[in-house]
Amino acid sequence: GEDVEQSLFLSVREGDSSVINCTYTDSSSTYLYWYKQEPGAGLQLLTYIFSNMDMKQDQRLTVLLNKKDKHLSLRIADTQTGDSAIYFCAERGNTDKLIFGTGTRLQVFP
Amino acid sequence: NAGVTQTPKFQVLKTGQSMTLQCAQDMNHNSMYWYRQDPGMGLRLIYYSASEGTTDKGEVPNGYNVSRLNKREFSLRLESAAPSQTSVYFCASSASIGSEQYFGPGTRLTVT
């Protein structure tokens, strides 16, 4: 079946870059998404990438997709304390529904 | 535009009680979803509605029912609450199945 995996925690110093990784199993995925969840709030769409792309950049965010290895990453440049949140990756699988990973809790310390 | 709204924000139930979680969206989206979020398990799809008039089971539908009341509203009902249903419930909507989803703020439910 479809499965999306992420590491649970990441801790970085303010000003450094953060890299959040995600692996998925469905090779027919068409779109892959990154969502951010701040404490006590719902999920907010950050960015997405189409499966025929290798990279997408949006201001401080860079998404890299390695389709061969089914690996997706989100790089946040110049990480700030306001970036502390849980980050979810999600794939649009062959059923057209989104399959979410378990989320990575990013903690930014001064 | 309010986006996706959910009521209530918090609820405490005793085992065996029933309740309905309400969700509404004002983005004219066709598809709506209900998820539950538990620690270490990410989001799991309970039910979804691809379009007005249709509903389908997701990954964890047992103990729940849904109603797509109209294009805007999608409710989730717990007929006989159990402690295992203690969770945070999120409603989401999208223009169509598979397109980016927009989430409500969530309902934190505790069943004692």
Side-chain angles (χ1 to χ4, degrees):
Chain A
E2 301 156 330
D3 195 20
V4 179
E5 293 192 356
Q6 302 177 240
S7 54
L8 289 180
F9 297 102
L10 177 66
S11 185
V12 299
R13 189 181 300 275
E14 192 174 17
D16 287 351
S17 292
S18 309
V19 179
I20 302 170
N21 295 303
C22 172
T23 57
Y24 59 97
T25 57
D26 186 355
S27 56
S28 64
S29 294
T30 51
Y31 286 89
L32 296 117
Y33 301 85
W34 282 104
Y35 283 84
K36 176 183 181 183
Q37 184 183 31
E38 296 184 356
L43 278 69
Q44 172 193 0
L45 179 66
L46 277 181
T47 187
Y48 65 92
I49 188 167
F50 189 51
S51 59
N52 67 354
M53 299 168 65
D54 298 324
M55 185 183 88
K56 180 177 180 182
Q57 187 153 2
D58 184 1
Q59 299 182 341
R60 291 190 299 122
L61 304 179
T62 303
V63 179
L64 295 178
L65 176 60
N66 181 328
K67 206 172 173 188
K68 175 175 163 290
D69 294 338
K70 300 191 192 72
H71 183 265
L72 180 75
S73 67
L74 174 70
R75 179 177 179 270
I76 305 172
D78 187 25
T79 312
Q80 303 297 308
T81 54
D83 295 323
S84 293
I86 302 176
Y87 290 81
F88 291 90
C89 68
E91 62 157 351
R92 179 179 173 177
N94 59 13
T95 60
D96 272 344
K97 295 191 293 294
L98 295 191
I99 308 298
F100 286 85
T102 52
T104 299
R105 183 180 295 274
L106 173 65
Q107 182 178 14
V108 182
F109 59 93
Chain B
N1 285 353
V4 180
T5 56
Q6 292 182 238
T7 55
K9 284 188 168 44
F10 301 93
Q11 183 72 49
V12 179
L13 291 178
K14 292 190 190 322
T15 297
Q17 287 184 318
S18 62
M19 79 160 295
T20 299
L21 281 65
Q22 307 286 354
C23 173
Q25 52 91 10
D26 62 3
M27 295 175 281
N28 201 35
H29 283 168
N30 289 307
S31 303
M32 298 184 74
Y33 313 81
W34 276 106
Y35 294 90
R36 59 178 288 173
Q37 184 181 27
D38 301 294
M41 301 194 74
L43 275 79
R44 291 183 292 170
L45 183 65
I46 304 171
Y47 270 94
Y48 68 100
S49 170
S51 60
E52 187 179 355
T54 70
T55 60
D56 285 287
K57 294 178 181 179
E59 185 185 352
V60 289
N62 290 348
Y64 306 94
N65 282 302
V66 290
S67 296
R68 183 75 182 266
L69 303 167
N70 47 56
K71 192 171 185 180
R72 289 187 65 247
E73 298 172 289
F74 189 39
S75 62
L76 178 73
R77 182 157 179 85
L78 287 71
E79 289 292 350
S80 179
S84 60
Q85 294 177 304
T86 293
S87 189
V88 182
Y89 290 85
F90 289 100
C91 177
S93 71
S94 64
S96 61
I97 284 284
S99 58
E100 57 265 30
Q101 296 181 13
Y102 295 83
F103 283 78
T107 294
R108 189 174 294 273
L109 175 68
T110 301
V111 183
T112 62

